[in-house]
Amino acid sequence: MKKYSYQEAISFFEELPHFKPPKNTGTPVKDMFSLDAELALLEQLNNPHMDLEYIHVAGTNGKGSTVAYISSILNQAKLKIGTFASPFLHRYNELFVVNGKEITDDDFAAVFTEVKPAYDKLAKKGILPSEYEILTVMGFLYFKKRKCDVVVLEVSMGGRVDTTNVIPAPIVTVIAPISYDHMSILGNTLTEIATEKAGIIKPGTKVVSAIQEAEVKKVLSQTCKKQKVHIDYIKKPKLIRQNLRGQIFEIDRIYETSLLGTYQIENAALAILAIKKFNECFNSKKFHISEEMIEDGIKDTRWFGRFTLVSRQPYVIVDGGHNRQGARVLRESLQQYFPDKKITFLMGILKDKEVDIILDELLQVAKKCYTMAVPNDRTMSPGELAEKIKEKGVEAQVISAADTDRLDVDKLVEKDDVLCICGSLYLLSFFTF
């Protein structure tokens, strides 16, 4: 059997067709997707996904933060925790994490070497698993080889036909806030979108959810009734103190988090509820997550890319929110933390997003905008984005990707100003802080 190098593995993925959402014609195309090819690949590898325990996390916003909180808490219990979350910003290795450490290049190559012959066998039959299907399968295989006690698995998009939804019933199913995104695939109403995301709920799991819109709650209730499972919603946490160093909040007891953003305490509340349900059924005699472990896990959680403060003189915030709800909570957080300031934005947005709705939220607090291309072929051109911003009454100027390589923040804002880099998670891959 050929042994592949790390670079050969990466080259294989770089040469595969990358996923492109279809244009929104008003009719969702969700039924064009199937998990058959991925299931065939798993079958070739003796179904490694069936030998693991899971916490499965879906939703529109807050999934990444919730996964980070849950993994941090579980790490306190000295469990071996695998984490699969997407997209990656810089390297494929970011997808596969065990106890906070990314897969090594050698291990990535070794897992790919095991998966590639199975892929080739299927390809000869005309069965072609997609890029993320292959990567998800590699994740299962890697976590099994590392003998992970639990895998915290983040849905990439939707739920029902997401590449992660081949697993058996997880210990806990977690539903983060559901809002509008990927409408060309998932549907144009909250009911349609929620139905797709609720597709990860299976008989035998425990279900927990963030606070949801009434339309979403109706779908979740109907799905849980059909699958004969109970759903618990978080209590709205009480904010005690909030500043640029972190937040202190209460849900029956006091917790502290370093993550900023008005929404992060609700993400923490969701993680806490998920862990409490996890405690009820996972090897409770051998592993028990104590209240102290939960407190320490919440306090130790780090998550880059959602209202992350990377500089104080001037203030620089990076945020990967890329839909209407993400833009709204970003604007609310900026108003909460910087009530007396107008914000300078450096933004890039994908053209298939709700660009006007996102801008209408953010420009309420804008002083000036700089626009740039997102490193993705779905990007809106920075010139077109700048024109849209100008039409809405805010000054806008294009900067090039070359400028970001030597980004001099002092030339964009004054020392006491606030710069917010936002619009897309992919945009953040340009920057290292």
Side-chain angles (χ1 to χ4, degrees):
M1 182 174 72
K2 174 178 169 58
K3 184 177 180 180
Y4 291 87
S5 69
Y6 176 74
Q7 191 51 57
E8 286 174 322
I10 297 303
S11 295
F12 169 81
F13 286 112
E14 289 177 342
E15 291 167 9
L16 280 178
H18 298 297
F19 172 72
K20 293 182 181 180
K23 292 182 179 179
N24 192 352
T25 62
T27 303
V29 294
K30 50 182 176 274
D31 290 331
M32 69 180 281
F33 296 94
S34 166
L35 297 174
D36 291 346
E38 182 181 356
L39 289 167
L41 184 58
L42 286 165
E43 181 71 25
Q44 291 288 322
L45 296 162
N46 297 316
N47 296 312
H49 62 305
M50 300 301 291
D51 299 321
L52 295 161
E53 299 278 12
Y54 301 94
I55 295 177
H56 204 184
V57 184
T60 305
N61 292 301
K63 291 179 296 183
S65 304
T66 302
V67 165
Y69 279 126
I70 290 171
S71 298
S72 180
I73 294 168
L74 293 175
N75 283 334
Q76 296 290 326
K78 310 302 181 186
L79 297 170
K80 184 169 282 189
I81 305 303
T83 304
F84 182 86
S86 60
F88 63 89
L89 294 183
H90 301 286
R91 306 177 76 227
Y92 281 89
N93 305 54
E94 297 167 30
L95 297 171
F96 315 128
V97 176
V98 174
N99 292 122
K101 294 183 178 179
E102 296 173 7
I103 188 172
T104 65
D105 291 358
D106 286 345
D107 283 345
F108 190 101
V111 175
F112 179 79
T113 293
E114 192 164 342
V115 171
K116 183 60 163 54
Y119 171 86
D120 291 338
K121 185 175 180 180
L122 292 175
K124 289 178 181 178
K125 300 178 182 179
I127 301 171
L128 298 169
S130 67
E131 175 191 21
Y132 258 79
E133 287 176 317
I134 303 165
L135 289 165
T136 305
V137 169
M138 285 177 60
F140 293 137
L141 195 59
Y142 177 63
F143 296 137
K144 180 180 177 180
K145 288 179 177 296
R146 292 296 305 272
K147 298 181 179 178
C148 289
D149 296 302
V150 184
V151 174
V152 186
L153 199 60
E154 180 188 342
V155 168
S156 174
M157 180 178 61
R160 181 178 64 91
V161 289
D162 183 74
T163 62
T164 63
N165 202 33
V166 293
I167 63 171
I171 301 167
V172 185
T173 299
V174 183
I175 310 294
I178 292 174
S179 183
Y180 292 91
D181 201 6
H182 301 295
M183 282 89 81
S184 64
I185 297 169
L186 305 180
N188 293 304
T189 68
L190 277 182
T191 294
E192 290 176 311
I193 294 168
T195 299
E196 286 299 301
K197 293 182 183 291
I200 70 167
I201 297 172
K202 300 176 175 69
T205 188
K206 291 184 179 290
V207 185
V208 299
S209 173
I211 298 167
Q212 304 283 5
E213 299 280 353
E215 195 174 341
V216 173
K217 287 187 72 172
K218 182 179 179 180
V219 172
L220 295 179
S221 176
Q222 291 171 342
T223 304
C224 288
K225 183 178 180 180
K226 180 180 179 181
Q227 301 289 29
K228 297 181 180 179
V229 295
H230 179 72
I231 184 168
D232 288 285
Y233 291 89
I234 66 167
K235 296 179 183 178
K236 189 170 180 63
K238 177 184 177 183
L239 179 64
I240 296 174
R241 191 176 74 208
Q242 180 185 69
N243 56 41
L244 289 171
R245 299 189 183 280
Q247 305 181 81
I248 297 175
F249 61 98
E250 182 178 3
I251 317 169
D252 300 326
R253 60 192 292 148
I254 306 297
Y255 299 93
E256 180 179 353
T257 177
S258 64
L259 302 193
L260 307 181
T262 55
Y263 46 85
Q264 286 294 11
I265 61 174
E266 292 191 14
N267 292 336
L270 183 57
I272 292 166
L273 181 57
I275 291 296
K276 290 186 175 180
K277 292 300 173 182
F278 173 87
N279 256 346
E280 293 176 6
C281 51
F282 180 75
N283 292 339
S284 56
K285 293 181 180 179
K286 185 176 181 181
F287 299 112
H288 180 76
I289 317 298
S290 68
E291 290 289 355
E292 290 73 23
M293 290 174 183
I294 295 174
E295 286 182 23
D296 290 343
I298 294 294
K299 188 174 182 179
D300 289 350
T301 299
R302 301 293 180 267
W303 183 243
F304 179 82
R306 289 310 311 268
F307 209 84
T308 305
L309 179 66
V310 296
S311 173
R312 290 177 179 269
Q313 284 191 325
Y315 291 109
V316 179
I317 299 286
V318 295
D319 189 280
H322 52 268
N323 52 48
R324 63 171 72 180
Q325 186 183 52
R328 177 178 57 78
V329 296
L330 172 56
R331 188 256 305 158
E332 290 173 349
S333 295
L334 289 167
Q335 290 174 315
Q336 181 73 26
Y337 285 95
F338 306 104
D340 301 320
K341 292 183 180 295
K342 286 288 188 179
I343 312 301
T344 299
F345 288 98
L346 171 55
M347 62 173 69
I349 304 176
L350 299 180
K351 60 188 174 186
D352 53 20
K353 299 298 181 180
E354 295 182 295
V355 178
D356 284 303
I357 294 175
I358 292 170
L359 291 178
D360 287 343
E361 285 286 356
L362 298 180
L363 297 186
Q364 295 178 47
V365 295
K367 175 182 179 181
K368 180 179 179 179
C369 293
Y370 294 93
T371 64
M372 62 177 293
V374 178
N376 186 296
D377 58 12
R378 291 153 49 204
T379 188
M380 172 170 279
S381 77
E384 183 181 357
L385 181 57
E387 286 305 311
K388 276 185 172 288
I389 293 168
K390 290 174 185 177
E391 289 170 3
K392 294 176 183 292
V394 175
E395 182 184 352
Q397 179 182 331
V398 174
I399 63 174
S400 71
D403 293 330
T404 66
D405 292 335
R406 52 183 185 279
L407 184 63
D408 187 348
V409 171
D410 293 338
K411 291 184 179 179
L412 301 183
V413 291
E414 301 294 332
K415 288 289 185 185
D416 60 347
D417 280 347
V418 180
L419 175 67
C420 181
I421 302 172
C422 66
S424 173
L425 278 170
Y426 295 109
L427 182 65
L428 305 187
S429 65
F430 265 134
F431 304 97
T432 54
F433 298 98

